Amino acid sequence: VRVTMEVAGRKIDEVLTGPDADDVLAQAKARVAKELGWKGLFLSAMTPLGFAQKAVELYNGSHQTKYALPQSADEFLRLGQDLGYIAILPD
């Protein structure tokens, strides 16, 4: 998948490759934690799905939206596609 977005004034344009949505979500969580440095330590305690749910919760709060919290990695990626932040790349 390709992730393109702007967060806190930073442009993100990343490609993540994995066998399934769960793996891709775990990679995304690890990359965010690494980028945040010591501030990302709280992410270590979260599951990848918990990370996705928190991301949607924060998105809802900052954009005054009411998207349902994803119940799977696949749901999270579909929401990202629907919002235009994620593109599924061909194999």
Side-chain angles (χ1 to χ4, degrees):
V1 300
R2 183 175 190 182
V3 179
T4 53
M5 62 185 349
E6 190 167 321
V7 177
R10 283 191 65 197
K11 286 190 178 229
I12 297 168
D13 188 351
E14 295 277 336
V15 174
L16 302 170
T17 303
D20 56 32
D22 292 313
D23 185 71
V24 170
L25 181 56
Q27 289 180 53
K29 175 190 163 220
R31 284 194 183 179
V32 170
K34 183 179 177 183
E35 283 292 316
L36 290 175
W38 67 269
K39 294 178 186 177
L41 289 176
F42 74 96
L43 291 178
S44 299
M46 295 178 120
T47 64
L49 182 57
F51 165 75
Q53 291 172 335
K54 187 64 171 175
V56 172
E57 183 182 308
L58 292 171
Y59 183 90
N60 282 338
S62 67
H63 291 89
Q64 289 75 49
T65 56
K66 295 183 189 224
Y67 292 106
L69 299 183
Q71 299 305 305
S72 70
D74 286 312
E75 281 184 25
F76 180 69
L77 293 183
R78 275 194 302 276
L79 177 60
Q81 279 184 283
D82 291 348
L83 294 174
Y85 297 118
I86 294 175
I88 305 297
L89 302 174
D91 291 334

